[in-house]
Amino acid sequence: MNSKPHSILEKYILRTPILSSEVLGDISSEKIKEICSDPMVSEAIFLASPELHAEMQKFLTDADYDNPKLELSLLKYISRMSYRCTPFGLFAGISVGVLNGKTNIQLNETNKYKRTTRLDMNYLCSLVQELENINEIRNNLVYFPNNSLYKIGSKYRYVEYAYKNAVRHHYMIAIDASLYIGKVLQLAEKGAKIKDLAEAIVGPEISFADAQNFINNLIDNQILLSSISPTVSGGDYLNHISENTGVTWLEEIKRLVNQLDQTVSHKSLAPYHEIVTFLRQFEIPFNKKFLFQTDLVATTKSNELDASVAKDIQKGISVLNKLAARNKKQKLERFKKAFYKRYEDEEVPLSIALDVEAGIGYDQNHKGTFDVCPLIDDLRLSGAQKDNSNTSFYRYDMGQAATLIHKKFVEAKANDRYEVAFKDMDLADLKENWKDLPSTFPIMCSVLEDNNATPTIAIHDTGGPSASYLLGRFSHTESEIKEVLNEIVKKEEKEDRILAEIVHLPEARTGNILYRDNLRKHEIAYLAQSNLPIEQQIHISDLYISIQNDTIILRSKKLNKFVEPRMANAHNYEDTPVPIYQFLGDMQTQNLCSTINFDWGPNLYDETFYPRVRYKNVILSAARWRIKEKDLKQIKDQASLHKWQEEFNIPSIFLLTDYDNELLINLENGISREMFLAEIKNKKSILLKENLYNEFDSAVKKGKQSYNNEFIFSLYQ
C-alpha cells in the first residue's frame, strides 16, 4: 500500500452520539420518561424544538397527560441521540484522535464535554439590518461596493437580495453607469464612510445634503454594503458586529451567550430564558427554535486507533477506486462547450461570461432562471445632470467494473445470498486511477468489533472536493480540529496557483453551517463579506476565464495567478439560483472524480434487495431494501406488517433512511412499530438499510457501554 499515491493523515475526527446504543433496548413509555428526565437530553430537545420540550414537560409531570404522538416524537429524538453520529446541537459530538499502536477509545462522561454556543445567523442578519438603519450607526460604518457588482457597457449589474416569508430571493439588477456612481465605487474600494463618499461628489450643482441622500440611496439598494454586512468566515460574527458598531448592549448579549458554555448542560433553562427576555426588548423578530446554534465537543480519556485500521481502509479505498464509475458533471461540460463555441481561445471576464444576457450564463438547460431587471427607482442626484449614455447532473459510465458488479448481483440473487464478496481474483483485471481524485478527500467509516481479532471497517461515504469540506464548520470549536484543517489546507497548496475559499451566504440560517474560521490565504467573497485584508480578497470582477487543453482556467488579473475555488463546507450549493456560486462550486471538482462510493448502477434501480458488499474485513456497502409503493400499501396494521416483513426477509431491527437521515426501527418493540407505521404513512417508497450493530459492537466505549461511531479520515496525495 505504500506504493499508492495517497496516504492518511495521522489525526482523524471521531463523531459520536451522546447516548449509548443500549438505551433503545426494550424502549417503553416509562423508559422514554426516564431518558427525557436527564438534564442533558432535556436541554438537547429544548435546543432542537422549544415547543416539543414544553409538551414534554407536561408528559413528564402530569400523570393524566395522554398524547401517543408525543411519545413517538420523543422516541425519534432519543433514537437520533443514540444512533446518529452527525453533530447537531447537543445530540452528538466531535473529537480528534490519532493513529497509534493500539485501539483504545474511551469517552468522558458527558458532564466533561465542551460546548460552543452562538446566536443563530438568521437573528444576527436581522439584527444587522436594524442597526444599519440607525442613523448614528449608519454614518459611522465603513462601506464597500457590493462584491457581485460588475460593469458591462454603460450599465452596472449586481445581485440584490430580499426576504419573502423568511426565504432569501436574489435578483440581478441593472443600473445606468454614471460619473458619480463610478467615483463613489472607486473611493469605496478600500472602504469609506458616508461623509467621505458624499464629500467626493459635492460640486457647484450638488449640495452635501443631496450627495448624502444619494449615498444613502446606494446603500438602501445594496450597491454599497457596510462593514457589518453578513459574513461566513473569520471570527465570531457577533463580536464583529459589536466591534464595528460600539453598541453597548451587544456586550451584554455576548456575556449571556458565553455564560451558557460554562457548563455543558443546565438543570434549569433559566439562562436561555434570560437571553430571550433580554432580546425581546429590542423588537427584532426571532423564533426561539432558531435562536441558538450549539456545537458539542465530545472529550475523551483516550482516543487512539490501531494504525492497521488505516491500512485496511486504504485497501478498501483501492477496491472502490477500481469499481467506481468515473462520472463528470454535465452542467460544467455543457458550459465548457458553450463557452468555446462563443469565445474559442479568448480570455474573458468571468462576470461577463456568466451574464445571462451578454454572455452564455451557466446552467445551459435553465438559462432564463436568473433574469436581469432594472432598478425600480433610477439612482439620480437631484442637482446632477442626466446621464444620456446608451446603456443535473451526472452521466453514468458503463464499463468493465459495472459489468462485474452486475454479474455479482445476479449471482447473489440466484443463490439467495445476503452478502457479495469481492476477491482479489475478481479485481485483477481492473485498473486503479488515482490521477482524477482530489489532492485531499475524506473517508467516513465506522470501526466495528466482533469475536475476531481484526476489526471490521464499514465505509459509509468517500470523496468531496477537499478533506476540509466536512470539518470547516467545526473550526471554531476546538484548537485540535483547526490544526487538522490547517494540515489539510497545507497539503493542498500549489506553487503555481491560488486555492481560494468561496465565501457566500445563500440563506441567513444556512450561515450556521457555513460559518468557519479563515482557513486559506485568499477568499473569493460573493454576496457575503470577507474579513481578510483587501489584498487577499479576490473580487468576481478580477476573475478571467478561458479554455486551455479542454480545461476551464480561472485567473486573477490583479495577482496574475491561476485560481482554484474551494469551499470547506458540505453545503449543497447546487440548490442555489445564483449562477456564479454554482459555477465556483462545480469548479472545485473539474475533471475530477468527486466520489468513489460503491454504486449498484442504474440498471439495478428497480430491484428490491441489494446485498451487503464486502472486501475482506471491509464492508463497502451495507445491505438495503428499496420498498415500492405497491408493496407499502399492503402494510395496514400489525398483522400485515408481520406478513410484509416475512415476504421481504426484513430483519427485526433496521434503519429507515431518508437521504442522510437514519431512524432505527425495532419491529419487536411496540412503540417502535407504531413509529415505523406513522413514518411510512403516505410514502410512495422507502429505503431501508441494515443496522450493522445487530452483528457488530462499536470500538468506542464509555466504561462498559458502547457508543456508535463515525470516523472521518483524511487522504492526501
Side-chain angles (χ1 to χ4, degrees):
M1 296 306 300
N2 291 333
S3 64
K4 302 301 179 188
H6 278 72
S7 300
I8 292 182
L9 288 184
E10 285 188 355
K11 288 189 175 180
Y12 56 79
I13 304 299
L14 170 63
R15 312 202 298 192
T16 53
I18 64 165
L19 296 178
S20 72
S21 53
E22 284 91 341
V23 302
L24 288 175
D26 299 323
I27 199 75
S28 62
S29 296
E30 292 72 24
K31 195 168 182 181
I32 290 174
K33 285 186 176 182
E34 179 187 338
I35 294 169
C36 291
S37 297
D38 181 278
M40 184 83 166
V41 174
S42 176
E43 190 169 348
I45 292 174
F46 170 79
L47 283 168
S49 175
E51 295 84 0
L52 178 66
H53 184 270
E55 286 300 307
M56 183 186 79
Q57 293 306 306
K58 300 175 187 176
F59 171 67
L60 295 177
T61 57
D62 187 350
D64 297 325
Y65 184 84
D66 183 28
N67 186 346
K69 288 186 177 179
L70 176 69
E71 282 190 356
L72 299 184
S73 295
L74 292 174
L75 179 54
K76 286 172 65 176
Y77 277 82
I78 292 170
S79 176
R80 172 67 170 83
M81 284 184 260
S82 63
Y83 185 84
R84 285 196 69 200
C85 301
T86 307
F88 171 71
L90 296 179
F91 283 23
I94 188 169
S95 59
V96 178
V98 63
L99 293 167
N100 213 328
K102 61 178 181 178
T103 295
N104 181 18
I105 303 177
Q106 280 284 340
L107 298 171
N108 275 322
E109 295 299 324
T110 52
N111 60 9
K112 293 185 178 179
Y113 285 9
K114 299 176 183 177
R115 58 180 279 170
T116 306
T117 306
R118 296 171 293 168
L119 288 184
D120 184 88
M121 278 291 289
N122 194 51
Y123 174 79
L124 293 178
C125 289
S126 298
L127 170 65
V128 163
Q129 286 182 325
E130 292 295 324
L131 294 177
E132 287 177 330
N133 287 326
I134 299 172
N135 284 334
E136 184 181 355
I137 293 175
R138 174 181 277 222
N139 290 332
N140 283 298
L141 292 173
V142 174
Y143 293 87
F144 300 86
N146 184 320
N147 53 32
S148 69
L149 185 142
Y150 59 96
K151 191 175 182 182
I152 180 166
S154 60
K155 300 281 186 180
Y156 283 110
R157 289 186 180 174
Y158 70 100
V159 178
E160 180 185 73
Y161 67 85
Y163 283 95
K164 293 182 180 179
N165 299 321
V167 177
R168 187 166 173 169
H169 296 265
H170 295 88
Y171 307 92
M172 177 64 78
I173 305 295
I175 61 171
D176 291 330
S178 71
L179 174 66
Y180 303 102
I181 290 179
K183 197 170 185 179
V184 168
L185 291 175
Q186 185 177 7
L187 184 60
E189 281 184 4
K190 294 184 178 180
K193 293 184 178 181
I194 291 175
K195 177 177 175 291
D196 299 322
L197 294 171
E199 286 178 345
I201 56 174
V202 169
E205 297 180 343
I206 305 169
S207 69
F208 180 79
D210 285 338
Q212 196 173 36
N213 288 334
F214 180 67
I215 301 302
N216 278 303
N217 203 1
L218 295 179
I219 294 169
D220 292 337
N221 287 287
Q222 299 177 25
I223 297 165
L224 294 176
L225 298 176
S226 81
S227 52
I228 61 170
S229 296
T231 180
V232 290
S233 67
D236 184 86
Y237 187 33
L238 180 58
N239 287 339
H240 179 74
I241 299 169
S242 177
E243 290 167 1
N244 283 270
T245 61
V247 176
T248 55
W249 52 265
L250 291 179
E251 292 298 320
E252 179 62 11
I253 295 178
K254 286 164 57 179
R255 186 189 70 78
L256 292 172
V257 172
N258 291 337
Q259 189 175 297
L260 287 172
D261 295 335
Q262 300 308 305
T263 56
V264 70
S265 67
H266 307 80
K267 291 182 179 180
S268 166
L269 298 176
Y272 293 100
H273 299 318
E274 186 179 0
I275 293 172
V276 169
T277 301
F278 183 84
L279 293 179
R280 276 181 175 154
Q281 65 182 306
F282 303 110
E283 299 181 355
I284 298 171
F286 61 86
N287 185 336
K288 278 199 303 183
K289 182 178 180 180
F290 303 127
L291 186 57
F292 301 101
Q293 174 68 24
T294 302
D295 295 298
L296 185 66
V297 174
T299 61
T300 59
K301 294 178 181 177
S302 58
N303 198 345
E304 299 178 350
L305 201 58
D306 193 320
S308 65
V309 170
K311 294 179 180 178
D312 290 337
I313 290 171
Q314 284 181 297
K315 291 175 184 176
I317 291 299
S318 292
V319 174
L320 288 173
N321 191 325
K322 290 184 174 185
L323 295 174
R326 258 50 188 188
N327 303 316
K328 291 185 177 181
K329 289 190 173 181
Q330 293 306 296
K331 196 188 300 180
L332 205 60
E333 291 299 301
R334 289 194 299 268
F335 171 80
K336 189 163 58 176
K337 291 178 182 177
F339 181 93
Y340 195 78
K341 183 178 180 181
R342 173 76 172 269
Y343 300 108
E344 294 188 342
D345 297 324
E346 187 181 354
E347 184 185 55
V348 298
L350 175 66
S351 52
I352 303 297
L354 267 63
D355 188 279
V356 293
E357 289 185 351
I360 58 174
Y362 180 49
D363 189 346
Q364 306 305 305
N365 286 349
H366 301 88
K367 191 174 179 181
T369 59
F370 197 66
D371 295 328
V372 181
C373 55
L375 193 61
I376 294 173
D377 297 314
D378 288 339
L379 293 167
R380 303 245 188 264
L381 282 164
S382 59
Q385 294 180 350
K386 187 175 181 180
D387 187 344
N388 292 314
S389 59
N390 294 321
T391 59
S392 168
F393 195 61
Y394 289 105
R395 176 178 55 82
Y396 190 81
D397 187 16
M398 296 295 290
Q400 191 176 1
T403 303
L404 173 62
I405 290 170
H406 190 273
K407 177 184 175 184
K408 284 284 188 180
F409 179 88
V410 171
E411 289 176 354
K413 186 175 181 179
N415 294 285
D416 199 24
R417 291 179 189 148
Y418 185 80
E419 181 178 277
V420 165
F422 283 93
K423 299 179 180 179
D424 289 328
M425 59 184 294
D426 299 320
L427 305 164
D429 294 334
L430 299 180
K431 304 296 183 185
E432 296 177 40
N433 181 6
W434 297 91
K435 293 181 180 180
D436 66 348
L437 294 178
S439 57
T440 74
F441 64 98
I443 301 165
M444 298 174 65
C445 62
S446 294
V447 179
L448 309 169
E449 297 177 339
D450 54 15
N451 295 326
N452 296 317
T454 304
T456 295
I457 314 300
I459 295 178
H460 305 311
D461 197 11
T462 68
S466 164
S468 67
Y469 97 116
L470 290 172
L471 308 179
R473 60 166 288 214
F474 303 105
S475 57
H476 69 288
T477 61
E478 182 77 10
S479 59
E480 281 191 292
I481 296 172
K482 181 70 178 291
E483 288 171 10
V484 173
L485 277 160
N486 288 338
E487 190 171 358
I488 291 169
V489 169
K490 189 174 181 180
K491 298 288 186 187
E492 293 177 344
E493 287 178 355
K494 302 178 182 180
E495 291 183 3
D496 63 336
R497 62 200 61 209
I498 294 169
L499 271 63
E501 191 75 13
I502 307 167
V503 176
H504 173 70
L505 181 63
E507 293 282 352
R509 292 213 71 244
T510 309
N512 293 323
I513 61 168
L514 291 180
Y515 213 105
R516 68 272 197 194
D517 287 348
N518 298 118
L519 298 174
R520 303 182 195 275
K521 187 177 178 182
H522 292 86
E523 291 181 348
I524 303 171
Y526 187 72
L527 298 177
Q529 183 180 233
S530 170
N531 289 325
L532 290 180
I534 295 292
E535 58 271 17
Q536 292 171 235
Q537 298 179 32
I538 300 176
H539 199 281
I540 292 299
S541 62
D542 177 51
L543 287 173
Y544 281 67
I545 184 172
S546 61
I547 304 286
Q548 298 180 22
N549 299 321
D550 198 36
T551 299
I552 300 169
I553 299 294
L554 285 181
R555 184 177 68 89
S556 163
K557 186 177 182 180
K558 176 178 67 175
L559 301 173
N560 194 27
K561 273 201 168 187
F562 295 138
V563 176
E564 290 186 7
R566 290 290 185 273
M567 185 164 57
N569 283 100
H571 173 239
N572 188 10
Y573 60 84
E574 290 148 3
D575 282 345
T576 178
V578 182
I580 285 182
Y581 185 46
Q582 284 191 29
F583 172 79
L584 293 174
D586 281 347
M587 279 291 290
Q588 295 178 95
T589 51
Q590 181 187 201
N591 297 331
L592 296 176
C593 179
S594 60
T595 178
I596 52 174
N597 292 333
F598 183 84
D599 188 351
W600 286 107
N603 290 343
L604 298 173
Y605 183 81
D606 288 331
E607 296 291 336
T608 299
F609 174 65
Y610 301 88
R612 178 192 295 176
V613 182
R614 178 194 285 271
Y615 172 76
K616 295 182 178 179
N617 65 318
V618 181
I619 295 174
L620 305 177
S621 178
R624 59 199 70 206
W625 296 258
R626 190 185 302 278
I627 309 299
K628 304 173 186 67
E629 186 175 15
K630 65 181 179 64
D631 299 315
L632 275 179
K633 284 182 177 179
Q634 67 176 276
I635 306 174
K636 299 175 181 177
D637 50 28
Q638 303 275 0
S640 58
L641 176 61
H642 181 69
K643 183 180 178 182
W644 167 83
Q645 182 185 0
E646 286 189 332
E647 179 182 347
F648 292 99
N649 198 23
I650 308 290
S652 295
I653 301 176
F654 57 84
L655 301 171
L656 174 62
T657 69
D658 183 12
Y659 296 98
D660 62 340
N661 295 317
E662 296 178 345
L663 183 62
L664 187 72
I665 303 294
N666 182 357
L667 295 182
E668 293 179 355
N669 180 275
I671 297 179
S672 189
R673 279 198 303 272
E674 290 177 27
M675 182 171 67
F676 178 64
L677 292 171
E679 287 295 309
I680 65 173
K681 189 177 181 180
N682 301 323
K683 288 281 181 72
K684 292 192 174 182
S685 65
I686 58 173
L687 183 65
L688 310 180
K689 194 163 77 172
E690 69 169 325
N691 176 35
L692 292 170
Y693 293 100
N694 292 349
E695 182 179 338
F696 301 96
D697 194 12
S698 172
V700 177
K701 311 288 184 184
K702 183 187 292 182
K704 294 183 179 180
Q705 291 184 317
S706 296
Y707 282 70
N708 289 6
N709 68 73
E710 190 172 70
F711 292 83
I712 301 177
F713 293 93
S714 302
L715 264 73
Y716 65 94
Q717 287 183 1

